[in-house]
């Protein structure tokens, strides 16, 4: 009986497929994903047209790096809607993240691993303020399984939120269809995502996707 691919193999294969996209393809697919995010976020936030009720909601987002989905257009939409945006400053010594509010890309500077991070002077955001997380990753499956980049930063943050007893945020994975695989072997510390958003549209993890993964 053939053994299932390991997470390391699945990560390598998915990153190779993602890296094989041309810049033109990446830009076009990212634009489509951003539009789907803009359509989905109001539903999850229960936002009416051009308005919010109560305190402005807060999104915790990754900052696009290398060949990741460029979600800048979706972040621009959030800022225009009055939705607060938080991004992480990583703390490699503790493998943790501290969230800071950013009001534009000018609030970022080069950080650990070459990834842009909020400048230290940006206001700190409490973890319990976060209602939605836009999470990066290498590979995903239709049940919400995720393979990250090996650091475990997001898995630890999500697990801590769940242990806190607070209502956990909704986890959304913007990803290219080429990053999808049939099934990801999940370990106890791995955290699943709630929604996947590809260039074909969004779907809730565990339900029938609009298009089936072609890999795995």
């Amino acid at each position: 009986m053939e053994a299932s691919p390991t997470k390391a193999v699945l990560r390598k294969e998915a990153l190779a497929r993602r890296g094989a996209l041309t810049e033109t393809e990446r830009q076009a697919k990212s634009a489509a994903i951003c539009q789907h995010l803009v359509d989905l976020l109001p539903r999850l936030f229960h936002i009416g047209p051009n308005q919010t009720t109560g305190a402005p909601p807060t999104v915790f987002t990754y900052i696009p790096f290398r060949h990741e989905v460029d979600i800048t257009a979706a972040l621009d939409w959030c800022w225009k809607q009055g939705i607060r945006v938080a991004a992480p400053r990583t703390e490699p010594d503790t493998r943790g993240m501290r969230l800071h509010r950013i009001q534009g890309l000018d609030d970022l500077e080069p950080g650990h691993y070459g990834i842009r991070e909020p400048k230290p002077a940006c206001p700190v955001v409490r973890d319990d303020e976060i209602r939605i997380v836009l999470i990066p990753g290498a590979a995903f499956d239709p049940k919400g399984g995720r393979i990250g980049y090996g650091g475990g930063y997001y898995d630890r943050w999500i697990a801590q939120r769940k242990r806190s007893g607070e209502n956990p945020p909704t986890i959304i994975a913007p990803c290219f269809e080429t990053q999808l695989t049939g099934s990801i072997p999940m370990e106890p510390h791995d955290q699943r995502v709630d929604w996947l958003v590809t260039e074909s549209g969004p779907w809730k993890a565990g339900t029938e996707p609009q298009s089936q993964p072609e890999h795995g």
Side-chain angles (χ1 to χ4, degrees):
M1 181 176 180
E2 185 177 354
S4 299
T6 65
K7 290 169 65 175
V9 170
L10 292 172
R11 178 188 295 115
K12 182 178 179 180
E13 293 175 347
L15 290 178
R17 295 193 301 269
R18 190 181 73 179
L21 294 173
T22 67
E23 186 59 28
T24 299
E25 290 172 328
R26 190 174 300 110
Q27 289 179 0
K29 293 176 186 293
S30 291
I33 290 169
C34 284
Q35 184 57 58
H36 294 312
L37 284 171
V38 166
D39 293 339
L40 176 64
L41 289 175
R43 292 161 48 194
L44 299 180
F45 277 136
H46 305 292
I47 297 174
N50 301 314
Q51 67 179 12
T52 62
T53 57
T58 304
V59 170
F60 166 21
T61 182
Y62 71 94
I63 302 301
F65 181 63
R66 290 181 178 166
H67 299 145
E68 291 176 334
V69 175
D70 185 352
I71 54 173
T72 303
L75 300 182
D76 286 338
W77 177 86
C78 288
W79 286 314
K80 291 176 182 176
Q81 296 297 315
I83 295 171
R84 294 180 294 191
V85 176
R89 281 185 66 87
T90 55
E91 301 173 335
D93 290 345
T94 62
R95 292 292 183 96
M97 297 187 292
R98 181 183 295 272
L99 309 188
H100 294 257
R101 183 181 177 186
I102 58 173
Q103 301 187 66
L105 299 182
D106 289 342
D107 285 340
L108 302 173
E109 65 180 14
H112 297 289
Y113 315 111
I115 301 172
R116 291 174 296 170
E117 297 186 344
K119 297 175 181 177
C122 292
V124 174
V125 176
R126 299 194 320 271
D127 290 350
D128 62 5
E129 295 181 60
I130 303 302
R131 289 178 54 188
I132 283 177
V133 178
L134 300 180
I135 193 171
F140 302 89
D141 71 27
K143 293 183 178 180
R146 168 183 174 270
I147 298 176
Y149 301 113
Y153 287 89
Y154 285 87
D155 285 327
R156 277 188 292 275
W157 188 90
I158 296 168
Q160 184 176 352
R161 276 299 308 276
K162 290 180 177 179
R163 289 194 299 268
S164 71
E166 302 285 344
N167 290 331
T170 300
I171 313 299
I172 302 175
C175 59
F176 301 117
E177 284 190 357
T178 193
Q179 294 176 252
L180 301 178
T181 189
S183 181
I184 288 174
M186 298 289 284
E187 299 176 61
H189 61 271
D190 292 329
Q191 303 294 318
R192 293 185 182 275
V193 306
D194 300 303
W195 286 82
L196 299 107
V197 181
T198 73
E199 59 267 33
S200 295
W203 80 80
K204 194 168 185 178
T207 64
E208 187 70 18
Q210 294 187 18
S211 61
Q212 293 288 343
E214 300 176 358
H215 309 283

